[in-house]
Amino acid sequence: MKGPKSKYVHLALICFLIVLADQLTKWMVSRWVRLFDVAVVIPGCVNLVHVQNPGGAFGLFAHQGNGIRSMLFLLT
């Protein structure tokens, strides 16, 4: 498959795989790591800490009610 559409198909596939990996790792952490526990991924380099963020990026709107938060995110 060559041509200009080919690059968009590849881009869409890469985006899909990134979102899939993100959701899979979030599911794995929520299932196997207790809240606020630390899982060592690479000793001395990468640790994974299970925390929850009900808001958007960096806790944006985290203290708002679910309805307000949902409406704000839908509008954005």
Side-chain angles (χ1 to χ4, degrees):
M1 182 165 56
K2 293 280 187 187
K5 289 186 181 180
S6 174
K7 65 181 177 183
Y8 295 116
V9 171
H10 287 111
L11 180 63
L13 180 63
I14 291 169
C15 291
F16 173 76
L17 292 174
I18 289 172
V19 170
L20 182 67
D22 175 61
Q23 294 301 308
L24 180 64
T25 54
K26 287 177 183 177
W27 174 77
M28 290 169 64
V29 167
S30 68
R31 180 164 181 143
W32 290 308
V33 180
R34 288 185 191 175
L35 196 58
F36 304 116
D37 275 358
V38 178
V40 178
V41 178
I42 301 173
C45 186
V46 177
N47 294 335
L48 209 147
V49 182
H50 182 181
V51 294
Q52 294 182 345
N53 176 15
F58 310 108
L60 187 68
F61 306 120
H63 299 293
Q64 300 295 325
N66 285 340
I68 294 173
R69 191 171 50 240
S70 297
M71 190 57 71
L72 287 170
F73 288 135
L74 283 172
L75 290 174
T76 348

